[in-house]
Amino acid sequence: MKYRSIKGVQDIVPPETALWQKIENVAKRIFKLYGYSEIRTPIIEFTDLFTRGIGETTDIVEKEMYTFPDRAGRSLTLRPEGTASVVRAYIQQGLYNRPAPQKFYYMGPMFRYERPQKGRYRQFHQIGVEAFGEQDPLLDAEMIAMLRRFLESLGMSGLVFEVNSIGCPRCRPPYREKLISYLSDKRDVLCTDCLRRYEKNPLRVLDCKVPGCQSVKGNAPKIVEHLCNECSDHFQKFRGYLKEMGIPHNINPLMVRGLDYYTRTTFEVTSSDLGAQNAVAAGGRYDSLVKEFGGPHTPAIGFALGVERLVVLLSEKEPPYKTGTDVFIAFLGEVGRKEAIRLSEKLRSTGLSVEMGFSGGSLKSQMRRADKLGADYVFIIGEDEIKTGRIICKHLTDGSQREIPLNDVDSFFMK
Ligand code: HAM
């Protein structure tokens, strides 16, 4: 074959698209319960937005962005995540003038030049939420309750909620120094990336999956034990609210997240059914980002879910989806075709999904097609049926058959 899709990007075809639609519809329904409205931002932005927003020493910015010059020589990037764009739009559109908190959700493709494997792609899809203008930890807990309700509404179980706090611009620098001095005599076991980053971004070492780096993590100073009073109080209250809401969770002091904008609360939801790429959703607070982007001081928090990972977990549970055809109209002869065309349009206008045999063919081959489509009913229309004004209606699910008046097909369905 001449053309193939690019490595790490996927076609999503029926019947799997039905599962995608279900996930999106459940997300819309659940997010609405918590006051979130949809926001749509461009897939392409100036590169600088992500470099500054996500952080120059992160994996995403250093190695994973799809960046290219446009025809006027400006550097553009396909969005690797949604938060930076939503923050830009929040400021550019003056959304901070609306009553706080402002709550948004989005869904769509993201692009990262990663090594593709199961659950990790170069074009992948996120469903994300962002809430602006409230620093109370009740918002953090409410967001996790919403995430849990969403995942449970899809029938998922066996998920682990992990939380951490990574402090604020006040308590993080002294912690950073402590971590650097702890790591200083362990540099010979760090991977080349961590070695390079260890002074600029030492927290990344805690998140590194390379065995050498893993081996030094255990005794590393824990950030939750070095929080300032305000951050510690915020974290305690957050955990208290989670308890009140009956949300079991673990503290993971090593969870520092791969994006630099986070402050205070961070969280991840993992599933042991996913293998190496086990994060279903992840997020946290980013109380400084709106200000850093030139907006007013605005605390904020959000998360994003990997849709492909949800699909992997759900398609193991869900039966294969059918196309949802209600009626298949099989016809014989030219008069039959005419009547089939008229009837199919009539039934569609009552809201039924109708398919018909296009070029006719034998009754047997049309019945076979109806069966493959998983239609509930087949109507058979030939010259005799038109003469008598009664058509044959077969219920494919139970095999029963009856005659119904051709000019009264709608009321058959009403019944
Ligand atoms: P993230 O942890 O980079 O956070 O991505 C969130 C989720 O997207 C991951 O947990 C995973 O399910 C999915 N994901 C990430 N990369 C891939 C990939 N290459 N292939 C498939 N799925 C992937 C963010 O993107 C933040 N913007 C989340 C956030 C929103 N924080 C605050 N607001």
Side-chain angles (χ1 to χ4, degrees), residues 81 83 112 114 119 121 124 126 130 257 261-262 279-280 302 306:
E81 61 109 45
T83 311
R112 295 184 194 175
E114 295 197 78
Y121 308 97
F124 61 99
Q126 282 187 345
E130 315 290 349
R257 309 278 300 119
Y261 48 62
Y262 291 112
V280 179

Side-chain angles (χ1 to χ4, degrees), residues 13-247:
V13 299
E16 200 175 86
T17 33
L19 182 52
W20 282 70
Q21 288 174 346
K22 178 180 167 180
I23 292 171
E24 289 161 7
N25 290 337
V26 171
K28 287 177 193 167
R29 180 169 62 76
I30 300 295
F31 296 168
K32 189 164 177 261
L33 301 179
Y34 291 81
Y36 286 73
S37 317
E38 188 178 7
I39 187 164
R40 298 187 187 199
T41 62
I43 282 173
I44 194 165
E45 299 269 8
F46 288 121
T47 302
D48 189 45
L49 178 79
F50 301 116
T51 318
R52 279 191 53 205
I54 299 169
E56 279 179 35
T57 55
T58 58
D59 277 349
I60 297 179
V61 170
E62 279 188 342
K63 319 181 204 172
E64 295 171 0
M65 295 210 298
Y66 278 90
T67 297
F68 50 91
D70 72 1
R71 286 177 185 274
R74 289 170 292 228
S75 181
L76 305 183
T77 293
L78 295 181
R79 63 178 184 195
E81 61 109 45
T83 311
S85 300
V86 176
V87 172
R88 179 200 48 68
Y90 177 77
I91 300 167
Q92 188 176 336
Q93 305 305 328
L95 303 179
Y96 49 80
N97 291 318
R98 300 182 186 178
Q102 283 291 309
K103 297 169 164 181
F104 307 103
Y105 73 84
Y106 50 90
M107 29 189 85
M110 308 290 160
F111 305 85
R112 295 184 194 175
Y113 194 85
E114 295 197 78
R115 198 164 47 77
Q117 53 179 269
K118 193 180 174 203
R120 195 206 266 164
Y121 308 97
R122 290 182 174 171
Q123 175 177 326
F124 61 99
H125 296 75
Q126 282 187 345
I127 296 179
V129 307
E130 315 290 349
F132 295 91
E134 180 56 71
Q135 62 175 354
D136 197 293
L138 180 54
L139 177 64
D140 310 31
E142 183 194 80
M143 188 171 270
I144 290 179
M146 177 170 84
L147 176 55
R148 180 178 71 160
R149 189 185 289 272
F150 166 70
L151 294 168
E152 286 183 357
S153 301
L154 286 170
M156 293 176 64
S157 52
L159 299 164
V160 178
F161 286 77
E162 294 194 326
V163 300
N164 194 18
S165 174
I166 58 167
C168 68
R170 204 138 54 95
C171 50
R172 203 168 327 147
Y175 168 74
R176 218 171 140 269
E177 290 311 314
K178 274 212 175 82
L179 187 59
I180 291 179
S181 81
Y182 166 79
L183 292 171
S184 64
D185 60 352
K186 299 172 185 66
R187 274 178 284 182
D188 50 331
V189 298
L190 298 185
C191 72
T192 41
D193 274 345
C194 285
L195 204 52
R196 188 165 40 80
R197 287 194 200 133
Y198 126 95
E199 273 186 12
K200 276 192 178 163
N201 201 350
L203 270 73
R204 297 291 306 135
V205 179
L206 301 179
D207 205 33
C208 183
K209 305 284 181 292
V210 175
C213 307
Q214 295 257 9
S215 70
V216 304
K217 286 181 193 179
N219 295 324
K222 294 183 172 57
I223 188 148
V224 272
E225 290 164 9
H226 294 82
L227 298 175
C228 62
N229 288 343
E230 286 82 358
C231 288
S232 176
D233 183 52
H234 193 272
F235 191 50
Q236 293 320 318
K237 283 191 174 138
F238 163 58
R239 296 199 58 217
Y241 289 130
L242 287 181
K243 238 181 237 151
E244 269 174 45
M245 290 170 167
I247 301 176

